[in-house]
Amino acid sequence: MFSFFALYLPMALLVVYAFNAGDSLALWEGFSLRWFVSAWQNDTVQDATIRSVIIAVCAAVLATSAATMAALATTRTRPYRGQTLTYALINQPLMIPEIVTAVALLIVFSRIKVWTDYSGLGYLIAAHTAFCVPFAYLPIRARLESMDLSLEVAAADLYATPWKAFRYITLPLLRPGIIAGFMLAFVISLDDVVITEFVKSGGQDTLPTYMLGQLRRVVTPEINAIATVFLAFSVVIVTAFFLMTRKKT
Amino acid sequence: MQPHEVEQAAIRRGTMRRWLLSAPALVIIFLASFGPLFVMLAFSVLEKGDYGGVKPWTFSFDGWANVFFQHDIFTGELGFADAHLSIFWRSVRLSIITTALTLVLGFPTAYFIATRPRKTREIWVFLVTIPFWTNLLIRTFAMQEVIRNEGVINTVAMRLGMISEPIQIMYTDWAVLFGMTYVYLPLMVLPLYASMEKLDFRLVEAAYDLYANRFKVLRRIILPLTKPGIIAGSILVFIPSLGAYVTPRVLGGGKNMMLGNLIGLQFGKGNNWPLGAAISITLMVVVMVALLIYVRATARAGGDDRGR
């Protein structure tokens, strides 16, 4: 029980202080929503939020599509040559410490930036897509493995083309797995600090890197307010994920 | 064509299609995760540039040498790079203690969940999962609320009259330790619970019936049977601890750096990319060795299960 108390106490305090009327994190001066309002009106926060969402949506869409295809290739009955290699490569981003991936990407992208003169969000989207792939892959593969293949075989027996069998049989059955994979990828991308911090160009803060930057300065409860909203959003997505994967098993 | 040739051709087509289907995922990971590691390897043996980056095609092993050795600023003599060695040592030490602490806290937690009725178990697991999927930076920041000078620990201790002045915990190794234990605890609880869920509690009852005391039951029954979970949890906590960047930076301040921050520094203010690349590769090798030990250990534990 102590662990649950310990897990939730710091987060609860963080949320409570977001409603502090005073200027400091130290003293409680009554209830107020002023920090939520000030965060809402902060242009930098708005930009960072929009940027975070754009990157997370792009990365999650790309990662989920790629992961779905890869999962279809790796879960069917007969093992094929190169399957182990495919597994290893897909899970590779999970094995390497994040900071190592981050600086390796910094090195590569800094070169590409010099050659192409491009410094848009593309680098961040590419980096996020790569580390989201394994997270999207896991629930999709789990769903595929527990799926009954006889319907698909029946469709083929009835002269459905492979594409039609996929479109009308496999895809609808797989949908919960794909949605779950998408949500995980989305949350993972939204949460990332380290890789974004090293890959981003100037003025490309996402919400987490903005918060990291702010923590070095004098901290006002505005950070708590941002963190609280962020926290609430994650909890909603994770709860949805939990309910969805539970119902189907 | 002979029948077996037709079949072979079909298998080849199947393999081909699988490769094509996996191609997008493999290309993305190769370009934006796996491949860059090799570019970094190349950068570690180049000469450092004057303003960051490297000098192309100028090879030098200074990066690697600087990981462990440095020239004394005043005498020019070659000595051990004390600062680096102390950061290495701090990282390894804090990671080991973090792993031990999460194990001590996580084991009873996992046991608690595993002994609940099946229906409520799911809810407890869910409660562990929520912090697991919550932003690491936010959780680290939340830890500040507990350990800063006006935080819970100091306020409560002062109210109770245990201390007269706040204890400085922030920006010490203790802060990093508390923070990492807090953020990585779910990584320990989840695999521990997974292996404890499979544990046959009738064995525990049987042991009690045979007059084993609690300690003996723990040592002779529960620990051996949950070993795969203990190993998995330990490796899952140890690896991110060793490469931790956010937690030491937020809670440790500038002084209590760990390997992750040392690497980051070389690509920022330190302006020594080859050195940063060399440290990164060193860290990666240590992690790979830890993973290898893990794979060996779980293979053995798996073998035991089958033999039983």
Side-chain angles (χ1 to χ4, degrees), chain A residues 5-62:
Chain A
F5 178 71
L7 278 175
Y8 282 92
L9 175 76
M11 292 202 281
L13 285 168
L14 178 90
V15 173
V16 167
Y17 271 93
F19 294 98
N20 188 8
D23 285 340
S24 83
L25 291 170
L27 292 167
W28 177 254
E29 292 174 34
F31 179 86
S32 149
L33 289 175
R34 65 180 269 224
W35 294 112
F36 287 91
V37 175
S38 107
W40 178 253
Q41 287 168 344
N42 185 331
D43 286 342
T44 326
V45 175
Q46 277 182 17
D47 287 348
T49 309
I50 294 166
R51 205 171 288 118
S52 282
V53 172
I54 291 174
I55 295 169
V57 168
C58 293
V61 167
L62 291 172

Side-chain angles (χ1 to χ4, degrees), chain B residues 112-124:
Chain B
F112 170 82
I113 302 174
T115 49
R116 292 309 98 186
R118 190 162 285 280
K119 281 219 154 178
T120 45
R121 247 185 258 176
E122 257 189 3
I123 297 167
W124 290 111

Side-chain angles (χ1 to χ4, degrees), chain A:
Chain A
M1 286 305 277
F2 169 77
S3 291
F4 290 101
F5 178 71
L7 278 175
Y8 282 92
L9 175 76
M11 292 202 281
L13 285 168
L14 178 90
V15 173
V16 167
Y17 271 93
F19 294 98
N20 188 8
D23 285 340
S24 83
L25 291 170
L27 292 167
W28 177 254
E29 292 174 34
F31 179 86
S32 149
L33 289 175
R34 65 180 269 224
W35 294 112
F36 287 91
V37 175
S38 107
W40 178 253
Q41 287 168 344
N42 185 331
D43 286 342
T44 326
V45 175
Q46 277 182 17
D47 287 348
T49 309
I50 294 166
R51 205 171 288 118
S52 282
V53 172
I54 291 174
I55 295 169
V57 168
C58 293
V61 167
L62 291 172
T64 313
S65 322
T68 307
M69 291 203 277
L72 283 169
T74 49
T75 41
R76 292 318 151 94
T77 40
R78 197 187 297 128
Y80 64 103
R81 209 186 299 163
Q83 189 166 11
T84 324
L85 184 70
T86 312
Y87 274 135
L89 262 175
I90 285 176
N91 290 316
Q92 180 270 338
L94 300 177
M95 316 277 184
I96 307 291
E98 229 189 335
I99 180 75
V100 175
T101 312
V103 295
L105 283 170
L106 169 70
I107 289 174
V108 171
F109 288 157
S110 70
R111 286 270 99 184
I112 301 179
K113 260 180 216 174
V114 173
W115 289 333
T116 62
D117 227 24
Y118 170 75
S119 58
L121 285 182
Y123 302 113
L124 281 173
I125 292 170
H128 279 228
T129 305
F131 69 73
C132 283
V133 167
F135 289 99
Y137 177 77
L138 286 172
I140 297 172
R141 205 190 78 180
R143 178 88 189 146
L144 264 173
E145 274 175 346
S146 64
M147 224 161 80
D148 186 2
L149 287 177
S150 56
L151 285 172
E152 220 173 287
V153 175
D157 281 349
L158 295 168
Y159 297 105
T161 57
W163 166 249
K164 268 200 171 151
F166 173 75
R167 172 73 186 77
Y168 292 105
I169 308 289
T170 317
L171 191 62
L173 285 171
L174 192 55
R175 189 170 294 136
I178 295 179
I179 297 173
F182 178 86
M183 290 197 306
L184 275 196
F186 187 76
V187 171
I188 289 292
S189 164
L190 213 58
D191 281 356
D192 180 72
V193 197
V194 181
I195 290 177
T196 314
E197 174 79 1
F198 284 90
V199 169
K200 73 182 168 76
S201 310
Q204 283 185 342
D205 266 319
T206 60
L207 212 44
T209 61
Y210 168 77
M211 288 196 277
L212 183 66
Q214 288 299 303
L215 288 178
R216 267 180 294 183
R217 306 198 178 88
V218 180
V219 183
T220 64
E222 189 177 298
I223 292 283
N224 292 47
I226 300 168
T228 300
V229 176
F230 205 126
L231 205 76
F233 184 73
S234 306
V235 170
V236 167
I237 292 198
V238 175
T239 311
F241 173 83
F242 177 76
L243 291 174
M244 210 165 56
T245 47
R246 189 178 62 159
K247 217 189 300 168
K248 306 295 173 195
T249 45

Side-chain angles (χ1 to χ4, degrees), chain B residues 136-151:
Chain B
L136 184 113
L137 174 66
I138 293 181
R139 282 186 289 147
T140 302
F141 178 50
M143 196 66 206
Q144 263 191 339
E145 303 278 355
V146 176
I147 58 178
R148 61 194 162 80
N149 285 359
E150 308 86 6

